Amino acid sequence: MKTTTKKTLEYLLTLFVIITLNFFIPRIMPGDPFTFVSSEENSVNTVYSDEEVARLKEYYGLDKPLAEQYGNYLKNTIKGDFGYSIYFNDTVLNLIGGRIVYTLPIALASLVLSCVLGCLLGCVSAYHRNRFFDRSSYLLITVFSQIPSFIIGIFFLFTFAGKLGWFPLSGAMTIFATYDTPLAQIRDILHHAFLPVLTLTLAHIGEFYLLSRNSMISVLSKDYITTAKAKGLAKKRVLYVHALKNAVLPIITRLCMSLGTILGGAVLIENVFNYPGLGTMMRQAITYRDYTLIQGIFLFFAVSVLLMNALADILYRKLDPRVAQ
Amino acid sequence: MKKVAKFFNKCSLGGKLSILFLIFLMLMAVFGTIFARHSAFIPSGSAFTAPNSEHFLGTDDLGIDLWAQLCEGAKLSLTIGICSALLSGIAGSFIGIICGYYGGVLDKIVMRISDILIAIPSLPLMIVMGVFFGAAIRNIILVLAIFSWTGPARIARSKVISLKEEKFIKIAESYGGGIFYLTFKHFLPAVFPIVMVSFIRLINRGIVSEASLSFLGLGDPTAKSWGLILNHAISFKAIYFTDFWKWWLVGPFAAITLTVLSIAILARDTEKFLNVKL
């Protein structure tokens, strides 16, 4: 019980620090939401007079002293009100909600894929330790996982989408398309999501591979595995029933913690593939100095990471009888 | 010098190749920018010139020489990688040594801070901080260092905690050796090899983070970084339908990939050579 309260306090403290950081960072940023001038095509530049700027600042509460703004911000954030985006003209929660439907599926899909593939490879690798398969896959995966994900993404985008034309260059579905059947629509969406998911999966396969390989190696040296082998059980049964069951614990906790890093990686990957998720919106928000939206997106990322860490903690306690006692 | 030669001999083939590549990269960064035939900032030919004897790697959409830009990028990446790793490695080691040696409330506070730093998703915050600090190189290095010192600090701390129970440390203390004496005479030499490996990995982290930030268009827009060249090349609308990618995209792409891989292999070989396990 005592450790639970301590852990909860820790998470609350971290959350508080994040909210505080989140409040101050955009306010020290150079630039101002009302003086943005764009040189891009198709954009209209609005120039405000001093009176208008003053009126807008008063309307958005930006003229109040910093301490008062901070107090209001804390109160509103805890109430779940993340504010109103100045550039997109909508509430931040709505905007995030509109984009998360694109980001979360690709993040979750690549999380599951990289976990399953990485674990399988890791298991086989551990079973054939120091043999050719283990050595080559270990080398390949450790080296490959060093390459930054957006570089892999650019490579895929260029070869498979650009040169070969197998996949679309950008977007999450064909614009203005009409579908004959729901199945065609699903196919179109999967077609667009394939490359981002593949990139994210490859970027994260390494950590699961290494973790499951290490975990399996230590489990395989245990006495109960020798017993199982001595009983004459099939290799597959020993590997997937006896060993994997015991090696899976660190993998489950890592699965929770990885969602955070995958969401972070998705920011980059979405910008490579122009996928309309949170990452591309974050880039727009930064270009337009949209304080509230940047705050909202960052807070969303931070809170989801914290929740996942907490979940990992809880699961670990629940699943491992040695820690639970 | 002898030690360096011994290290080189002990390296795997990949390790030797990566050391040679990294030396080449450093020469590129130092001499490539000083003795450049063309400017990396001012157009020196017509746009989209294919590689020829005049323009070693061709030119981009503004007619700026790409080899000169790659050299500038090498300088930038190496500066950011090495400086941020040095800063966080040195700061982290000292913080770790002090926390491990004294323990108590100070240790608890510092470890709590590092817990918080680890829990915050670094890339989104770095994106936000990159804008908030401005895009100058110095600021990118600072932001990276703020996020990276926790690794070396934890390593140094746990090493010192186990070290301070050793008899020779107890004896040195009883003869009146203070924290400075102990740090420079005993702790640093013991901590150095394990922090070294983490230092090499941090260089990679710095280079990758800089490339990611500038790829998103958040780096210094006037500096010529590899990520920024990629960003320009990808956002050039006709890149997929023309042949320009052969020299415009491949150069920075290969530069980032090879650099990151070489440093990773170097880190692995150093780990083996110094016989440390992180």
Side-chain angles (χ1 to χ4, degrees), chain B residues 59-276:
Chain B
T59 58
D60 68 0
D61 58 336
L62 296 173
I64 304 174
D65 187 57
L66 274 166
W67 170 252
Q69 291 191 47
L70 276 190
C71 290
E72 278 295 324
K75 193 169 86 176
L76 195 79
S77 287
L78 286 179
T79 315
I80 286 179
I82 293 174
C83 287
S84 64
L86 263 182
L87 211 64
S88 44
I90 293 173
S93 311
F94 280 108
I95 292 173
I97 288 173
I98 290 170
C99 284
Y101 186 68
Y102 287 115
V105 185
L106 177 83
D107 181 39
K108 275 204 179 116
I109 292 172
V110 173
M111 284 302 115
R112 194 60 60 241
I113 293 174
S114 83
D115 277 345
I116 291 173
L117 279 180
I118 288 172
I120 296 175
S122 60
L123 186 77
L125 186 57
M126 249 192 276
I127 292 173
V128 177
M129 299 269 265
V131 185
F132 133 66
F133 267 149
I137 300 169
R138 197 192 57 217
N139 296 333
I140 295 179
I141 293 173
L142 266 178
V143 172
L144 278 170
I146 291 172
F147 273 95
S148 312
W149 64 266
T150 53
R154 273 167 190 263
I155 296 167
R157 177 177 171 268
S158 59
K159 183 79 193 168
V160 169
I161 284 179
S162 69
L163 209 61
K164 75 176 176 185
E165 300 304 325
E166 297 277 339
K167 279 195 179 112
F168 66 95
I169 298 289
K170 293 274 177 217
I171 293 167
E173 274 174 347
S174 69
Y175 277 114
I179 176 82
F180 278 105
Y181 175 81
L182 288 175
T183 301
F184 287 100
K185 193 78 187 171
H186 294 298
F187 292 151
L188 272 186
V191 160
F192 180 75
I194 33 175
V195 169
M196 187 69 200
V197 178
S198 137
F199 167 77
I200 298 177
R201 297 217 169 112
L202 284 177
I203 297 181
N204 242 357
R205 184 179 175 182
I207 291 176
V208 170
S209 305
E210 191 278 327
S212 315
L213 286 181
S214 56
F215 174 71
L216 285 178
L218 287 166
D220 188 342
T222 58
K224 292 290 173 188
S225 102
W226 292 335
L228 205 65
I229 305 175
L230 278 181
N231 181 7
H232 283 323
I234 288 282
S235 42
F236 183 74
K237 288 189 178 98
I239 187 87
Y240 302 107
F241 312 112
T242 53
D243 272 344
F244 306 148
W245 63 273
K246 280 181 189 158
W247 58 94
W248 196 6
L249 203 66
V250 168
F253 186 90
I256 295 180
T257 315
L258 287 178
T259 311
V260 170
L261 287 185
S262 311
I263 295 176
I265 294 171
L266 185 69
R268 207 195 55 186
D269 280 1
T270 318
E271 196 179 317
K272 268 188 197 151
F273 179 72
L274 296 171
N275 200 13
V276 289

Side-chain angles (χ1 to χ4, degrees), chain A residues 29 146 158 163 271 283 286, chain B residues 127 131-132 216 245 260:
Chain A
M29 271 199 318
Q146 292 293 327
F158 207 79
K163 286 289 147 196
N271 279 300
R283 188 177 173 187
I286 287 171
Chain B
I127 292 173
V131 185
F132 133 66
L216 285 178
W245 63 273
V260 170

